[in-house]
Protein backbone atom coordinates (compact mmCIF):
# COMPACT_ATOMS: atom_id res chain seq x y z
CA UNK A 1 0.00 0.00 0.00
CA UNK A 2 1.31 3.43 -0.92
CA UNK A 3 1.79 5.95 1.86
CA UNK A 4 -0.51 8.95 1.96
CA UNK A 5 0.90 12.36 1.05
CA UNK A 6 0.56 13.52 4.63
CA UNK A 7 2.60 10.65 5.92
CA UNK A 8 5.18 11.26 3.20
CA UNK A 9 5.51 14.86 4.26
CA UNK A 10 5.85 13.84 7.84
CA UNK A 11 8.40 11.19 6.87
CA UNK A 12 10.47 13.70 4.97
CA UNK A 13 10.34 16.09 7.83
CA UNK A 14 11.14 13.27 10.17
CA UNK A 15 14.02 11.86 8.16
CA UNK A 16 15.27 14.88 6.37
CA UNK A 17 15.04 17.97 8.48
CA UNK A 18 14.87 17.04 12.12
CA UNK A 19 18.07 17.25 14.10
CA UNK A 20 20.08 14.13 14.65
CA UNK A 21 19.29 14.06 18.33
CA UNK A 22 15.59 14.47 17.73
CA UNK A 23 15.52 11.62 15.25
CA UNK A 24 17.15 9.31 17.75
CA UNK A 25 14.71 10.31 20.44
CA UNK A 26 11.65 9.84 18.24
CA UNK A 27 12.79 6.43 17.11
CA UNK A 28 13.16 5.38 20.68
CA UNK A 29 9.91 6.66 22.06
CA UNK A 30 8.10 4.86 19.21
CA UNK A 31 9.39 1.54 20.32
CA UNK A 32 8.85 2.44 23.97
CA UNK A 33 12.25 1.02 24.77
CA UNK A 34 15.21 2.31 26.71
CA UNK A 35 17.22 5.13 25.14
CA UNK A 36 19.20 4.01 22.13
CA UNK A 37 22.40 5.58 21.09
CA UNK A 38 22.21 5.69 17.31
CA UNK A 39 23.94 8.65 15.74
CA UNK A 40 23.10 10.39 12.50
CA UNK A 41 25.00 12.30 9.86
CA UNK A 42 23.93 14.55 7.03
CA UNK A 43 24.11 12.84 3.63
CA UNK A 44 25.54 15.65 1.56
CA UNK A 45 23.21 17.74 -0.56
CA UNK A 46 20.30 15.37 0.02
CA UNK A 47 20.08 16.91 3.49
CA UNK A 48 18.87 13.55 4.76
CA UNK A 49 19.99 12.61 8.24
CA UNK A 50 21.09 8.99 7.91
CA UNK A 51 21.95 6.63 10.72
CA UNK A 52 25.65 5.87 10.94
CA UNK A 53 24.83 2.18 10.53
CA UNK A 54 22.61 1.09 7.66
CA UNK A 55 21.53 -2.27 6.27
CA UNK A 56 22.89 -3.69 3.03
CA UNK A 57 21.46 -6.82 1.45
CA UNK A 58 24.24 -8.28 -0.66
CA UNK A 59 23.90 -11.34 1.57
CA UNK A 60 20.77 -12.01 -0.49
CA UNK A 61 23.12 -12.75 -3.34
CA UNK A 62 26.02 -14.19 -1.41
CA UNK A 63 23.99 -16.52 0.74
CA UNK A 64 22.85 -18.32 -2.40
CA UNK A 65 26.42 -19.60 -2.58
CA UNK A 66 26.04 -21.00 0.91
CA UNK A 67 23.47 -23.55 -0.10
CA UNK A 68 19.66 -23.51 0.24
CA UNK A 69 19.65 -23.96 4.01
CA UNK A 70 21.60 -20.79 4.75
CA UNK A 71 20.03 -18.84 1.91
CA UNK A 72 16.50 -19.46 3.12
CA UNK A 73 17.50 -18.83 6.69
CA UNK A 74 18.78 -15.38 5.67
CA UNK A 75 15.56 -14.62 3.81
CA UNK A 76 13.51 -15.67 6.82
CA UNK A 77 15.68 -13.63 9.16
CA UNK A 78 15.65 -10.43 7.09
CA UNK A 79 12.32 -9.03 8.41
CA UNK A 80 13.55 -9.41 12.02
CA UNK A 81 16.82 -7.73 11.02
CA UNK A 82 14.89 -4.76 9.63
CA UNK A 83 12.70 -4.49 12.72
CA UNK A 84 15.71 -4.63 15.02
CA UNK A 85 17.52 -1.98 13.00
CA UNK A 86 14.56 0.39 13.22
CA UNK A 87 14.21 -0.34 16.93
CA UNK A 88 17.87 0.59 17.42
CA UNK A 89 17.31 3.89 15.62
CA UNK A 90 18.74 2.81 12.26
CA UNK A 91 16.85 4.48 9.42
CA UNK A 92 18.60 3.27 6.29
CA UNK A 93 18.06 0.13 4.19
CA UNK A 94 19.73 -0.51 0.89
CA UNK A 95 19.57 -3.28 -1.69
CA UNK A 96 19.46 -3.85 -5.42
CA UNK A 97 16.89 -5.32 -7.76
CA UNK A 98 19.50 -7.97 -8.53
CA UNK A 99 19.81 -9.15 -4.93
CA UNK A 100 17.28 -11.94 -5.30
CA UNK A 101 13.89 -11.08 -3.70
CA UNK A 102 15.29 -8.76 -1.02
CA UNK A 103 13.29 -5.76 -2.28
CA UNK A 104 10.07 -7.68 -1.74
CA UNK A 105 11.14 -8.93 1.67
CA UNK A 106 12.16 -5.42 2.75
CA UNK A 107 8.88 -4.02 1.43
CA UNK A 108 6.90 -6.47 3.55
CA UNK A 109 9.14 -5.90 6.57
CA UNK A 110 8.65 -2.13 6.37
CA UNK A 111 4.87 -2.33 6.23
CA UNK A 112 3.55 -0.05 8.94
CA UNK A 113 7.02 1.41 9.54
CA UNK A 114 7.76 2.87 6.10
CA UNK A 115 7.96 6.33 7.61
CA UNK A 116 10.92 5.31 9.74
CA UNK A 117 13.15 4.15 6.90
CA UNK A 118 15.02 5.61 3.98
CA UNK A 119 14.91 3.17 1.08
CA UNK A 120 17.84 3.06 -1.33
CA UNK A 121 17.91 0.58 -4.19
CA UNK A 122 19.61 0.09 -7.52
CA UNK A 123 19.46 -1.27 -11.00
CA UNK A 124 22.05 -2.07 -13.62
CA UNK A 125 23.01 1.06 -15.60
CA UNK A 126 23.80 -1.11 -18.63
CA UNK A 127 20.31 -0.76 -20.04
CA UNK A 128 18.31 1.73 -22.08
CA UNK A 129 16.24 4.54 -20.53
CA UNK A 130 12.90 2.78 -20.97
CA UNK A 131 14.12 -0.46 -19.38
CA UNK A 132 15.67 1.38 -16.43
CA UNK A 133 12.43 3.29 -15.81
CA UNK A 134 10.43 0.07 -15.99
CA UNK A 135 12.88 -1.54 -13.53
CA UNK A 136 12.30 1.32 -11.10
CA UNK A 137 8.53 0.86 -11.35
CA UNK A 138 8.94 -2.79 -10.41
CA UNK A 139 11.15 -1.83 -7.47
CA UNK A 140 8.47 0.59 -6.26
CA UNK A 141 5.89 -2.19 -6.40
CA UNK A 142 8.12 -4.64 -4.58
CA UNK A 143 8.78 -2.08 -1.85
CA UNK A 144 5.05 -1.24 -1.70
CA UNK A 145 5.87 2.43 -1.74
CA UNK A 146 5.37 5.37 -4.10
CA UNK A 147 8.83 6.85 -3.75
CA UNK A 148 12.36 5.50 -3.48
CA UNK A 149 14.59 7.80 -1.44
CA UNK A 150 17.83 6.98 -3.22
CA UNK A 151 18.11 5.29 -6.61
CA UNK A 152 21.53 4.35 -7.88
CA UNK A 153 23.37 2.74 -10.75
CA UNK A 154 24.57 -0.62 -9.44
CA UNK A 155 28.24 -0.99 -10.26
CA UNK A 156 28.61 2.10 -12.39
CA UNK A 157 26.91 4.80 -14.38
CA UNK A 158 25.64 5.41 -17.90
CA UNK A 159 24.07 8.32 -19.73
CA UNK A 160 20.92 6.21 -20.01
CA UNK A 161 20.81 5.76 -16.25
CA UNK A 162 21.35 9.50 -15.72
CA UNK A 163 18.51 10.35 -18.12
CA UNK A 164 16.14 7.77 -16.66
CA UNK A 165 16.92 8.92 -13.11
CA UNK A 166 16.16 12.55 -13.99
CA UNK A 167 12.81 11.55 -15.47
CA UNK A 168 12.00 9.41 -12.45
CA UNK A 169 12.91 12.30 -10.21
CA UNK A 170 10.63 14.68 -12.13
CA UNK A 171 7.83 12.14 -11.80
CA UNK A 172 8.39 12.04 -8.03
CA UNK A 173 9.26 8.33 -8.07
CA UNK A 174 12.74 8.79 -6.71
CA UNK A 175 14.17 11.55 -4.55
CA UNK A 176 17.93 11.37 -5.01
CA UNK A 177 20.32 9.83 -7.52
CA UNK A 178 23.64 8.10 -7.01
CA UNK A 179 25.94 5.32 -8.06
CA UNK A 180 27.95 2.47 -6.58
CA UNK A 181 31.21 1.04 -7.85
CA UNK A 182 34.57 -0.17 -6.54
CA UNK A 183 36.81 2.29 -8.36
CA UNK A 184 37.22 5.77 -6.83
CA UNK A 185 38.20 7.26 -10.19
CA UNK A 186 34.86 6.25 -11.75
CA UNK A 187 33.03 7.94 -8.91
CA UNK A 188 35.24 11.00 -9.21
CA UNK A 189 34.14 11.59 -12.82
CA UNK A 190 30.47 11.64 -11.85
CA UNK A 191 31.02 13.69 -8.72
CA UNK A 192 32.96 16.29 -10.76
CA UNK A 193 30.19 16.28 -13.36
CA UNK A 194 27.66 17.05 -10.63
CA UNK A 195 25.27 14.25 -11.64
CA UNK A 196 25.21 12.30 -8.37
CA UNK A 197 23.76 13.24 -4.98
CA UNK A 198 25.47 10.32 -3.21
CA UNK A 199 27.92 7.51 -3.83
CA UNK A 200 28.44 4.01 -2.39
CA UNK A 201 32.14 3.15 -2.25
CA UNK A 202 34.02 0.23 -0.60
CA UNK A 203 36.20 1.40 2.26
CA UNK A 204 37.72 -0.66 5.06
CA UNK A 205 40.84 -1.13 7.10
CA UNK A 206 42.03 -4.04 4.96
CA UNK A 207 41.66 -2.13 1.68
CA UNK A 208 39.70 -4.98 0.17
CA UNK A 209 36.59 -4.71 -1.95
CA UNK A 210 35.97 -8.44 -2.13
CA UNK A 211 37.94 -11.42 -0.99
CA UNK A 212 41.05 -10.18 -2.64
CA UNK A 213 40.32 -7.15 -4.79
CA UNK A 214 42.53 -4.40 -3.49
CA UNK A 215 41.12 -0.91 -3.12
CA UNK A 216 43.05 2.30 -3.32
CA UNK A 217 42.75 3.80 0.16
CA UNK A 218 44.48 7.07 -0.67
CA UNK A 219 42.39 7.47 -3.82
CA UNK A 220 39.26 6.64 -1.82
CA UNK A 221 39.99 9.17 0.91
CA UNK A 222 40.76 11.84 -1.71
CA UNK A 223 37.44 11.00 -3.35
CA UNK A 224 35.69 11.50 -0.02
CA UNK A 225 37.35 14.91 0.31
CA UNK A 226 36.08 15.83 -3.13
CA UNK A 227 32.59 14.66 -2.16
CA UNK A 228 32.72 16.92 0.86
CA UNK A 229 33.71 19.85 -1.34
CA UNK A 230 30.92 19.10 -3.82
CA UNK A 231 28.45 18.28 -1.03
CA UNK A 232 27.90 14.73 -2.31
CA UNK A 233 26.89 12.17 0.30
CA UNK A 234 29.29 9.29 1.01
CA UNK A 235 28.06 5.85 2.00
CA UNK A 236 30.54 3.09 2.60
CA UNK A 237 29.95 -0.45 1.39
CA UNK A 238 32.00 -3.47 2.47
CA UNK A 239 33.12 -1.79 5.69
CA UNK A 240 34.17 -5.28 6.80
CA UNK A 241 35.78 -6.18 3.46
CA UNK A 242 32.79 -8.12 2.15
CA UNK A 243 32.82 -11.04 4.60
CA UNK A 244 36.53 -11.74 4.79
CA UNK A 245 36.70 -10.43 8.35
CA UNK A 246 33.54 -12.04 9.75
CA UNK A 247 34.53 -15.44 8.45
CA UNK A 248 38.01 -15.35 9.88
CA UNK A 249 36.89 -13.89 13.19
CA UNK A 250 34.45 -16.75 13.70
CA UNK A 251 37.34 -19.13 14.24
CA UNK A 252 37.17 -18.53 17.96
CA UNK A 253 38.76 -21.89 18.69
CA UNK A 254 41.94 -20.52 17.11
CA UNK A 255 44.10 -19.16 19.96
CA UNK A 256 45.21 -16.19 17.81
CA UNK A 257 41.61 -15.14 17.18
CA UNK A 258 40.69 -15.76 20.80
CA UNK A 259 43.63 -13.66 22.05
CA UNK A 260 42.72 -10.77 19.81
CA UNK A 261 39.09 -10.83 20.86
CA UNK A 262 40.07 -10.94 24.52
CA UNK A 263 42.14 -7.79 24.11
CA UNK A 264 39.32 -6.04 22.28
CA UNK A 265 36.82 -6.95 24.96
CA UNK A 266 39.16 -5.67 27.63
CA UNK A 267 38.65 -2.22 26.16
CA UNK A 268 34.90 -2.50 25.83
CA UNK A 269 34.70 -3.50 22.17
CA UNK A 270 32.70 -6.68 21.71
CA UNK A 271 34.15 -7.95 18.46
CA UNK A 272 36.22 -7.23 15.40
CA UNK A 273 33.22 -6.08 13.41
CA UNK A 274 32.70 -3.20 15.80
CA UNK A 275 36.36 -2.24 15.56
CA UNK A 276 36.16 -2.21 11.77
CA UNK A 277 33.02 -0.10 11.80
CA UNK A 278 34.56 2.33 14.27
CA UNK A 279 37.55 2.69 11.96
CA UNK A 280 35.30 3.52 8.99
CA UNK A 281 33.18 5.97 10.97
CA UNK A 282 36.13 7.91 12.30
CA UNK A 283 36.33 9.39 8.80
CA UNK A 284 33.96 12.36 9.14
CA UNK A 285 33.47 12.52 5.37
CA UNK A 286 31.55 9.23 5.62
CA UNK A 287 27.83 9.53 6.41
CA UNK A 288 26.87 5.89 6.78
CA UNK A 289 28.45 2.44 6.89
CA UNK A 290 26.24 -0.03 5.05
CA UNK A 291 26.57 -3.42 6.69
CA UNK A 292 25.40 -6.84 5.51
CA UNK A 293 23.84 -8.03 8.75
CA UNK A 294 22.66 -11.63 8.82
CA UNK A 295 20.90 -11.87 12.17
CA UNK A 296 19.08 -9.54 14.56
CA UNK A 297 21.97 -10.03 16.97
CA UNK A 298 24.36 -8.71 14.28
CA UNK A 299 22.25 -5.53 14.24
CA UNK A 300 22.57 -5.06 17.99
CA UNK A 301 26.33 -5.58 17.90
CA UNK A 302 26.96 -3.44 14.82
CA UNK A 303 24.79 -0.55 16.02
CA UNK A 304 26.72 -0.56 19.30
CA UNK A 305 29.84 0.47 17.36
CA UNK A 306 28.53 4.04 17.11
CA UNK A 307 28.70 4.48 20.86
CA UNK A 308 32.41 3.76 21.11
CA UNK A 309 35.44 5.87 20.45
CA UNK A 310 38.15 4.55 18.16
CA UNK A 311 41.45 4.69 20.00
CA UNK A 312 45.11 4.05 19.16
CA UNK A 313 44.79 0.68 20.89
CA UNK A 314 42.07 -0.31 18.40
CA UNK A 315 44.36 0.65 15.55
CA UNK A 316 47.09 -1.55 17.00
CA UNK A 317 44.71 -4.50 17.31
CA UNK A 318 43.48 -4.03 13.76
CA UNK A 319 47.07 -4.07 12.55
CA UNK A 320 47.62 -7.34 14.40
CA UNK A 321 44.43 -8.72 12.98
CA UNK A 322 45.38 -7.81 9.42
CA UNK A 323 48.75 -9.51 9.76
CA UNK A 324 47.24 -12.64 11.30
CA UNK A 325 44.22 -13.01 9.08
CA UNK A 326 46.01 -12.51 5.79
CA UNK A 327 48.53 -15.18 6.74
CA UNK A 328 45.98 -17.69 7.94
CA UNK A 329 42.76 -17.33 6.04
CA UNK A 330 41.86 -18.16 2.43
CA UNK A 331 40.62 -15.09 0.61
CA UNK A 332 39.08 -17.14 -2.19
CA UNK A 333 41.16 -15.26 -4.74
CA UNK A 334 41.50 -18.44 -6.83
CA UNK A 335 45.13 -17.70 -7.76
CA UNK A 336 46.08 -21.25 -6.78
CA UNK A 337 43.60 -22.67 -9.30
CA UNK A 338 45.63 -21.20 -12.13
CA UNK A 339 48.72 -23.27 -11.24
CA UNK A 340 47.38 -26.52 -9.83
CA UNK A 341 48.18 -29.37 -12.24
CA UNK A 342 45.74 -31.65 -10.45
CA UNK A 343 42.79 -29.22 -10.62
CA UNK A 344 42.14 -29.40 -6.89
CA UNK A 345 39.40 -26.91 -5.96
CA UNK A 346 41.39 -25.37 -3.11
CA UNK A 347 39.25 -22.27 -2.40
CA UNK A 348 36.02 -24.27 -2.54
CA UNK A 349 37.42 -26.87 -0.15
CA UNK A 350 38.48 -24.12 2.27
CA UNK A 351 35.07 -22.51 1.94
CA UNK A 352 33.34 -25.78 2.80
CA UNK A 353 35.67 -26.18 5.77
CA UNK A 354 34.58 -22.70 6.87
CA UNK A 355 30.89 -23.72 6.71
CA UNK A 356 31.71 -26.78 8.77
CA UNK A 357 33.97 -25.15 11.33
CA UNK A 358 32.77 -21.55 11.60
CA UNK A 359 29.09 -21.79 10.80
CA UNK A 360 28.50 -25.28 12.12
CA UNK A 361 26.67 -26.34 8.94
CA UNK A 362 28.26 -29.73 8.88
CA UNK A 363 25.77 -31.51 6.66
CA UNK A 364 25.75 -28.78 3.99
CA UNK A 365 29.54 -28.66 4.09
CA UNK A 366 29.96 -32.39 3.67
CA UNK A 367 27.39 -32.53 0.89
CA UNK A 368 29.11 -29.71 -0.95
CA UNK A 369 32.46 -31.43 -0.60
CA UNK A 370 30.99 -34.71 -1.81
CA UNK A 371 29.59 -32.89 -4.85
CA UNK A 372 33.13 -32.14 -6.07
CA UNK A 373 34.55 -34.57 -8.60
CA UNK A 374 37.22 -36.92 -7.20
CA UNK A 375 40.02 -35.13 -9.02
CA UNK A 376 38.90 -31.82 -7.44
CA UNK A 377 38.99 -33.09 -3.86
CA UNK A 378 41.92 -32.78 -1.46
CA UNK A 379 43.02 -36.38 -2.02
CA UNK A 380 43.98 -35.50 -5.61
CA UNK A 381 46.70 -33.16 -4.33
CA UNK A 382 50.21 -34.36 -5.31
CA UNK A 383 51.84 -31.96 -2.82
CA UNK A 384 53.78 -30.28 -5.62
CA UNK A 385 53.67 -27.00 -3.68
CA UNK A 386 52.98 -24.75 -6.68
CA UNK A 387 49.88 -23.27 -5.07
CA UNK A 388 51.81 -22.27 -1.95
CA UNK A 389 54.33 -20.39 -4.08
CA UNK A 390 51.64 -18.13 -5.55
CA UNK A 391 49.18 -17.77 -2.67
CA UNK A 392 49.08 -14.06 -1.70
CA UNK A 393 48.29 -15.04 1.89
CA UNK A 394 51.31 -17.43 2.00
CA UNK A 395 49.01 -20.15 3.30
CA UNK A 396 50.27 -23.64 4.11
CA UNK A 397 47.79 -25.08 1.67
CA UNK A 398 48.83 -28.72 1.68
CA UNK A 399 48.36 -29.40 5.41
CA UNK A 400 45.19 -27.31 5.39
CA UNK A 401 43.80 -29.46 2.58
CA UNK A 402 44.53 -32.60 4.56
CA UNK A 403 42.80 -31.16 7.62
CA UNK A 404 39.80 -30.13 5.54
CA UNK A 405 39.49 -33.60 4.01
CA UNK A 406 39.56 -35.18 7.46
CA UNK A 407 36.56 -33.02 8.43
CA UNK A 408 34.57 -33.19 5.24
CA UNK A 409 35.04 -36.65 3.76
S1 LIG B 1 50.17 -28.77 -3.84
FE1 LIG B 1 48.31 -29.85 -4.35
S2 LIG B 1 46.72 -28.28 -4.45
FE2 LIG B 1 48.72 -27.26 -4.55
S3 LIG B 1 49.14 -27.01 -6.74
FE3 LIG B 1 50.10 -28.92 -6.08
S4 LIG B 1 48.56 -30.49 -6.47
FE4 LIG B 1 47.53 -28.53 -6.54
S1 LIG C 1 44.54 -20.74 -0.96
FE1 LIG C 1 45.61 -18.79 -1.32
S2 LIG C 1 45.76 -18.65 -3.57
FE2 LIG C 1 44.22 -20.18 -3.11
S3 LIG C 1 42.30 -19.09 -3.12
FE3 LIG C 1 42.99 -19.13 -1.00
S4 LIG C 1 44.11 -17.23 -0.73
FE4 LIG C 1 43.91 -17.55 -2.92
Amino acid sequence: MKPQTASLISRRRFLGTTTAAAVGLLAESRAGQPAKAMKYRRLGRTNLQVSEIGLGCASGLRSQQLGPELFNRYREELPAIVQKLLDRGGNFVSTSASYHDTEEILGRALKGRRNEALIFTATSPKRDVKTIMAACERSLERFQTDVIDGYFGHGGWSDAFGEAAQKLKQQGKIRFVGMSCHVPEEHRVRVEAGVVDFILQPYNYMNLAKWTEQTDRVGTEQLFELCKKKDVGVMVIKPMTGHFIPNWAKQTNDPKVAGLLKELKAQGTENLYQAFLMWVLKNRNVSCAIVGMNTAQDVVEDCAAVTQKFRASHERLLEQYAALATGDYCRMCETCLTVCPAQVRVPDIFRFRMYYQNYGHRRDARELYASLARHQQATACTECGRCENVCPGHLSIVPKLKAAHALLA
Side-chain angles (χ1 to χ4, degrees), residues 249-311:
K250 279 188 177 123
Q251 300 184 151
T252 46
N253 52 353
D254 181 325
K256 287 174 287 188
V257 179
L260 200 68
L261 294 180
K262 196 171 161 199
E263 270 205 68
L264 270 175
K265 280 187 180 167
Q267 43 187 299
T269 302
E270 270 305 303
N271 51 44
L272 271 167
Y273 323 136
Q274 288 181 352
F276 272 76
L277 288 172
M278 288 154 67
W279 183 87
V280 166
L281 291 168
K282 82 181 166 56
N283 187 323
R284 297 303 299 180
N285 293 331
V286 171
S287 296
C288 174
I290 302 174
V291 191
M293 296 172 268
N294 294 326
T295 65
Q297 183 57 28
D298 285 352
V299 179
V300 174
E301 292 178 4
D302 293 345
C303 288
V306 308
T307 61
Q308 301 174 50
K309 191 168 162 42
F310 191 84
R311 294 188 292 267

Side-chain angles (χ1 to χ4, degrees), residues 43-105:
L43 184 66
R45 66 177 66 146
T46 70
N47 265 327
L48 299 170
Q49 292 285 343
V50 291
S51 50
E52 290 185 354
I53 303 293
L55 174 68
C57 295
S59 297
L61 187 70
R62 193 185 70 92
S63 57
Q64 278 180 295
Q65 300 162 354
L66 305 184
E69 185 187 334
L70 278 182
F71 179 51
N72 287 327
R73 190 177 306 164
Y74 170 74
R75 293 173 66 248
E76 282 161 20
E77 188 77 15
L78 196 47
I81 291 169
V82 172
Q83 297 299 324
K84 184 63 77 178
L85 182 73
L86 299 179
D87 289 346
R88 306 303 290 191
N91 68 3
F92 179 85
V93 298
S94 165
T95 190
S96 165
S98 64
Y99 287 166
H100 202 69
D101 57 350
T102 49
E103 287 187 330
E104 246 171 314
I105 298 173

Side-chain angles (χ1 to χ4, degrees), residues 5 52 54 121 130 142 170 186 204 244 267 297 336 396:
T5 313
E52 290 185 354
T121 193
K130 207 170 143 199
R142 288 191 286 258
Q170 282 159 13
E186 283 183 36
N204 56 64
F244 178 51
Q267 43 187 299
Q297 183 57 28
C336 50
S396 304

Side-chain angles (χ1 to χ4, degrees), residues 329-336 346-347 350 390-393 395 397:
Y329 201 82
C330 173
R331 286 176 252 183
M332 318 282 166
C333 67
E334 303 194 348
T335 310
C336 50
V346 177
F350 289 168
V390 298
C391 174
L395 300 192
I397 294 174

Side-chain angles (χ1 to χ4, degrees), residues 339-342 344 346 380-388 397-398 401:
V339 298
C340 178
V344 176
V346 177
C381 172
T382 60
E383 304 189 19
C384 71
R386 289 188 199 176
C387 53
E388 295 186 359
I397 294 174
V398 174
L401 279 177

Side-chain angles (χ1 to χ4, degrees), residues 205-254:
Y205 184 78
M206 300 282 286
N207 304 323
L208 291 170
K210 285 188 190 159
W211 297 99
T212 192
E213 184 189 325
Q214 291 290 319
T215 57
D216 167 12
R217 186 191 292 179
V218 175
T220 300
E221 288 176 351
Q222 287 170 348
L223 168 70
F224 292 173
E225 282 296 327
L226 176 71
C227 287
K228 183 183 174 192
K229 207 168 118 201
K230 300 281 185 184
D231 205 19
V232 168
V234 171
M235 322 201 84
V236 163
I237 50 175
K238 301 182 171 67
M240 299 173 189
T241 77
H243 299 286
F244 178 51
I245 294 163
N247 291 337
W248 188 83
K250 279 188 177 123
Q251 300 184 151
T252 46
N253 52 353
D254 181 325

Side-chain angles (χ1 to χ4, degrees), residues 4 46 51 64 120-121 124 157 174 258 282-283 368 402:
Q4 299 300 307
T46 70
S51 50
Q64 278 180 295
F120 279 47
T121 193
S124 167
W157 183 268
I174 64 173
K282 82 181 166 56
N283 187 323
L368 286 163
K402 285 184 181 166

